[in-house]
Amino acid sequence: YDAIVIGTGFGGSVTACKLAEGGKSVCILERGKRWRGKVDVKNIFDLAPLFRTSLNNGLFDYRIFKNIHVFQANGVGGGSLIYANVIMRPEEDTFDKEWPAEINLQELNKYFPDVEKMLDVRTADSPPVKRLFPKSAALKKAADLTTEGQWRLLNLAIQPFDETKNFEKCDEPETRPSPCRACGNCVFVCKRNAKNTLDSNYLKKAIDCGAELFVEHE
């Protein structure tokens, strides 16, 4: 191989994709499993078997250090499996401290549109939804009571909403990308594949370009 990429999170999947697109032979190693369609959380007791231990290659990897606790994912797609799909462009003052001068908003602005296109980003509560979701409405009401009153909808990396079935439980898993039902189970791996996780875009494209993925390899 020309390159070995360790991990399939945002860093690994994008790197593997760009290398494979450039004609390099790429080996991708992922210590976790494939979780798409295999996670079913109905209550808090279903969470215990999903934690990674020395004896269990689970989805959630919780690490305790002296000054920080780290909660991360362990599976094909990395952190995209358990984040809440929120895609936000950083504010300019984000880079005022502790960032190399080469990494700044002006430089990154060149790439944001390509990433948003690849992740199929859309605004929360976007059409065909005709009303604000309860959480969005509550946040707007709270913002209206503040002196600044700033409030806006955030972008999400999800499939379009299904207006006819919003807030319904997702009892049966879907093997293909399906409309979002706003069930709120984003951090437990979407059963309907309504969440645009990395295994469905960057990683998939890397493999389509010839990269080889080895699962449960550390």
Side-chain angles (χ1 to χ4, degrees), residues 104-174:
N104 54 69
L105 189 59
Q106 183 178 1
E107 182 66 22
L108 292 177
N109 276 335
K110 304 174 185 177
Y111 306 104
F112 288 143
D114 290 339
V115 174
E116 290 165 353
K117 182 178 179 180
M118 177 68 89
L119 296 179
D120 195 15
V121 171
R122 53 180 42 84
T123 304
D125 302 13
S126 60
V129 176
K130 305 297 192 302
R131 58 189 170 80
L132 289 177
F133 291 152
K135 183 184 291 185
S136 301
L139 288 171
K140 184 177 187 307
K141 182 178 179 180
D144 290 341
L145 296 174
T146 66
T147 54
E148 296 182 356
Q150 293 184 357
W151 178 88
R152 63 187 173 91
L153 291 170
L154 299 178
N155 290 330
L156 302 175
I158 60 173
Q159 295 294 304
F161 292 108
D162 186 343
E163 174 72 5
T164 64
K165 297 182 179 180
N166 279 342
F167 315 115
E168 289 188 10
K169 293 182 179 180
C170 305
D171 294 325
E172 295 298 326
E174 295 282 351

Side-chain angles (χ1 to χ4, degrees), residues 10-154:
F10 286 99
S13 289
V14 175
T15 300
C17 178
K18 295 304 178 183
L19 287 170
E21 279 186 307
K24 301 295 184 181
S25 60
V26 180
C27 165
I28 309 169
L29 302 179
E30 169 55 54
R31 69 179 184 179
K33 303 176 181 179
R34 295 182 185 272
W35 293 100
R36 183 182 287 270
K38 297 180 180 179
V39 179
D40 188 12
V41 177
K42 294 185 174 65
N43 55 59
I44 194 171
F45 302 106
D46 293 331
L47 288 175
L50 294 177
F51 277 84
R52 182 174 185 265
T53 67
S54 59
L55 301 176
N56 179 42
N57 197 16
L59 170 63
F60 300 115
D61 190 355
Y62 183 49
R63 301 193 176 202
I64 301 174
F65 299 95
K66 182 178 180 180
N67 297 314
I68 190 172
H69 291 201
V70 178
F71 191 71
Q72 60 191 34
N74 178 52
V76 178
S80 72
L81 298 174
I82 65 170
Y83 85 130
N85 324 317
V86 177
I87 304 295
M88 297 176 64
R89 296 191 183 191
E91 302 293 338
E92 191 165 5
D93 61 6
T94 301
F95 305 96
D96 288 348
K97 294 181 180 179
E98 300 177 354
W99 285 88
E102 295 80 7
I103 301 179
N104 54 69
L105 189 59
Q106 183 178 1
E107 182 66 22
L108 292 177
N109 276 335
K110 304 174 185 177
Y111 306 104
F112 288 143
D114 290 339
V115 174
E116 290 165 353
K117 182 178 179 180
M118 177 68 89
L119 296 179
D120 195 15
V121 171
R122 53 180 42 84
T123 304
D125 302 13
S126 60
V129 176
K130 305 297 192 302
R131 58 189 170 80
L132 289 177
F133 291 152
K135 183 184 291 185
S136 301
L139 288 171
K140 184 177 187 307
K141 182 178 179 180
D144 290 341
L145 296 174
T146 66
T147 54
E148 296 182 356
Q150 293 184 357
W151 178 88
R152 63 187 173 91
L153 291 170
L154 299 178

